[in-house]
Amino acid sequence: MSTQNQISIEIPQDVINDVVAKLQDCKIKLAPYLQGLTADERHKLFKMGDKTVATVEKTKEYVVTNPQFVPAYMDQDEFKKDAKVVAQLKAIVNLATQLATDADDTMMLAGSEALQGALLYYGQIKEAHYRGIPSAKPIYEDLSQRFARNTYKKKTQ
């Protein structure tokens, strides 16, 4: 197991508190305009990807410049509003995705290193327990429950 340290940071609690407050503020401000979907609703919807964003934008331009081709059953105003919301939220989604990915990667790296440290400590406690050091016993008994490996017995046929 490598003990190479790839990350060594301490995020001040006031920075975390400030970021959480600002994200909470963003969530509150956008709440009246956002709508949640169930997994089934998400599955049933047409999906708008990078290629279709350009298609919708171009179509929006044509709807404005060539309204004679708009079907009578198509609500132009709603189409324009929907296209505008997509454009507005795209910047927010991109930024939020970057933040979430970077935060998740950092948490994963720090978590991996913390778990490596915990395993090293557990190995030392385990060794101390097996050598009969009394003060290691309660720590070993507590940690051994968390580090217990599942053993699978082969079924005899």
Side-chain angles (χ1 to χ4, degrees):
M1 177 182 334
S2 172
T3 57
Q4 179 184 359
N5 194 35
Q6 297 180 40
I7 187 167
S8 180
I9 60 172
E10 290 184 30
I11 304 172
Q13 190 59 46
D14 61 326
V15 170
I16 296 295
N17 295 345
D18 187 43
V19 169
V20 169
K22 287 178 179 170
L23 287 173
Q24 202 58 287
D25 186 45
C26 290
K27 184 178 176 184
I28 290 167
K29 286 181 179 177
L30 284 172
Y33 310 104
L34 301 180
Q35 182 172 338
L37 298 171
T38 66
D40 190 48
E41 290 170 331
R42 291 179 69 86
H43 180 73
K44 291 178 181 177
L45 290 175
F46 286 115
K47 307 301 183 292
M48 191 168 173
D50 289 339
K51 292 179 183 178
T52 52
V53 169
T55 301
V56 169
E57 281 300 313
K58 188 169 287 247
T59 301
K60 187 175 88 173
E61 293 170 15
Y62 283 129
V63 165
V64 171
T65 59
N66 296 280
Q68 68 273 20
F69 297 113
V70 175
Y73 49 86
M74 179 182 164
D75 188 332
Q76 280 186 63
D77 293 334
E78 285 301 315
F79 170 74
K80 291 175 192 173
K81 282 171 47 178
D82 291 342
K84 181 179 179 182
V85 167
V86 169
Q88 290 174 319
L89 290 178
K90 189 70 177 159
I92 293 171
V93 168
N94 287 344
L95 185 58
T97 300
Q98 289 172 353
L99 176 61
T101 299
D102 290 348
D104 190 54
D105 288 351
T106 304
M107 187 173 70
M108 183 179 289
L109 182 56
S112 175
E113 290 184 3
L115 182 56
Q116 286 178 19
L119 289 169
L120 290 171
Y121 182 83
Y122 175 66
Q124 190 67 23
I125 284 293
K126 186 176 179 180
E127 180 69 24
H129 170 67
Y130 288 143
R131 292 193 180 268
I133 299 172
S135 60
K137 184 180 179 184
I139 299 170
Y140 171 74
E141 288 175 350
D142 184 33
L143 292 180
S144 66
Q145 297 171 22
R146 290 165 175 76
F147 288 106
R149 291 186 179 177
N150 291 333
T151 56
Y152 298 98
K153 294 180 182 177
K154 288 185 179 181
K155 292 182 180 180
T156 56
Q157 296 187 17

